[in-house]
Amino acid sequence: QVQLVESGGGLVQPGGSLRLSCEASRSIFSINAMGWYRQGPGKERELVAIFSSGSVIKYADSVKGRFTISKDNAKNTVYLQMNSLKPDDTAVYYCYARQVGATREYDYWGQGTQVTVSS
């Protein structure tokens, strides 16, 4: 079992920056995948950025060059640095983790943190 707690959301003007944090309740060293999804108003939840297989990183095309995912294993924390924010980035951002067990996969979600990009 893994609890995920996000922080760092808020209101920012277009072109601004925010950093989201996701702290896990236990070591993330052995977690198979961990990253961020988002769900905008009237939209489906979509992948933003994720670590998989330890160090492999995938970004959504819409955030490449603007967002950076990083992690600190010692702090059990994954970060999402968001720069050059646009109104289309407005969404609830969710931390996600996947643990592969002996017979099944386990998916964990945080409670979400609101990011609003508006002037």
Side-chain angles (χ1 to χ4, degrees):
Q1 189 82 343
V2 180
Q3 280 77 48
L4 304 172
V5 179
E6 303 103 332
S7 60
L11 173 65
V12 64
Q13 293 186 342
S17 298
L18 281 175
R19 189 176 82 154
L20 305 182
S21 300
C22 173
E23 183 174 1
S25 59
R26 65 168 182 80
S27 173
I28 63 173
F29 184 76
S30 62
I31 289 179
N32 301 93
M34 191 165 176
W36 297 91
Y37 283 71
R38 68 184 180 186
Q39 187 165 15
K43 298 179 181 179
E44 295 186 353
R45 192 172 295 190
E46 62 176 359
L47 174 70
V48 178
I50 195 165
F51 283 103
S52 61
S53 303
S55 303
V56 177
I57 296 175
K58 179 178 179 179
Y59 291 100
D61 288 343
S62 59
V63 307
K64 284 180 181 177
R66 300 188 298 122
F67 291 11
T68 303
I69 189 172
S70 62
K71 60 180 175 177
D72 186 333
N73 287 335
K75 295 183 178 180
N76 301 330
T77 301
V78 172
Y79 304 96
L80 185 68
Q81 178 66 43
M82 306 185 293
N83 298 329
S84 302
L85 282 161
K86 305 174 181 179
D88 280 350
D89 296 317
T90 295
V92 178
Y93 283 70
Y94 296 92
C95 185
Y96 165 82
R98 169 166 286 188
Q99 180 71 58
V100 177
T103 58
R104 57 166 285 187
E105 297 174 336
Y106 300 85
D107 292 329
Y108 303 98
W109 294 93
Q111 80 285 356
T113 185
Q114 177 70 47
V115 172
T116 302
V117 184
S118 174
S119 55

